[in-house]
Amino acid sequence: MGNRQLENGNGTRRVTVREGASHALLDDVAKQIIEQLQEDGRRPYATIGKAVGLSEAAVRQRVQRLLDAGVMQIVAVTDPLQLGFPRQAMIGLRTDGDLETVADRLAEFEEIDYVVITAGSFDLLAEVVCRNDAHLLEILQKLRGVAGVVSTEAFVYLKLRKQTYSWGTA
């Protein structure tokens, strides 16, 4: 089960919609509520209720059901640059052995913000945030020491042109 992170326009809050979660909860009103929270994760339930035609209490109950079912999470989104992590990279990994075990081990790394099992020339992709190039090198060395990792290739981010999380409810 994967997660899709949905960020509002100013990058301060994030709603994560879990792939594979119960679709029975996602009627049109639930999708409208999620869209409202995607725009502003701190939007008051009363305001959401006016937009979707429900009472504040009904919105609160709906949101709680979505949270309890793991359909979404409401969390703060941070800017790595503002927190002293100016280096970001995507790392492609080739592995042997049990792919799930290697992916689980990588997911334990604090510097890795997501791990994806892929099809193609890499078995896994991992995105990292780092303090500097020396920190990136340290992470690469740790990754190469993980049992089952055969090789790594780092793709350093030079400039982010687009990042959006406003999809998923249409």
Side-chain angles (χ1 to χ4, degrees):
M1 180 181 309
N3 290 333
R4 292 181 289 167
Q5 299 174 349
L6 308 171
E7 182 178 332
N8 74 358
N10 66 15
T12 59
R13 300 285 286 179
R14 175 179 67 195
V15 176
T16 302
V17 178
R18 300 183 69 184
E19 295 176 13
S22 174
H23 293 290
L25 294 171
L26 294 180
D27 61 8
D28 288 340
V29 174
K31 290 178 182 181
Q32 290 174 19
I33 291 170
I34 292 170
E35 288 171 354
Q36 291 286 313
L37 291 168
Q38 286 171 327
E39 291 174 13
D40 181 357
R42 295 173 33 168
R43 183 166 289 159
Y45 292 150
T47 303
I48 295 171
K50 288 177 187 172
V52 303
L54 294 176
S55 69
E56 178 181 354
V59 171
R60 181 178 291 107
Q61 289 175 348
R62 289 269 197 139
V63 168
Q64 192 59 53
R65 280 198 307 250
L66 292 167
L67 294 169
D68 291 345
V71 173
M72 68 176 192
Q73 299 174 343
I74 302 173
V75 298
V77 174
T78 58
D79 180 350
L81 293 174
Q82 298 290 328
L83 294 175
F85 295 95
R87 175 60 69 219
Q88 292 180 269
M90 181 66 64
I91 301 172
L93 298 102
R94 291 183 182 88
T95 66
D96 63 9
D98 183 33
L99 190 55
E100 299 276 347
T101 300
V102 177
D104 289 344
R105 176 63 185 100
L106 297 183
E108 296 173 5
F109 282 68
E110 182 178 317
E111 300 91 347
I112 295 177
D113 58 45
Y114 73 82
V115 177
V116 183
I117 297 173
T118 66
S121 61
F122 295 106
D123 299 308
L124 299 168
L125 292 175
E127 185 180 64
V128 298
V129 292
C130 310
R131 293 182 304 276
N132 51 39
D133 287 339
H135 188 209
L136 175 58
L137 180 58
E138 177 185 319
I139 294 167
L140 287 169
Q141 290 171 336
K142 285 173 38 178
L143 290 174
R144 290 174 181 146
V146 172
V149 173
V150 175
S151 66
T152 63
E153 185 172 345
F155 301 90
V156 174
Y157 298 178
L158 299 176
K159 187 173 186 180
L160 182 62
R161 296 298 292 175
K162 180 179 181 180
Q163 182 173 13
T164 182
Y165 300 104
S166 60
W167 43 267
T169 58

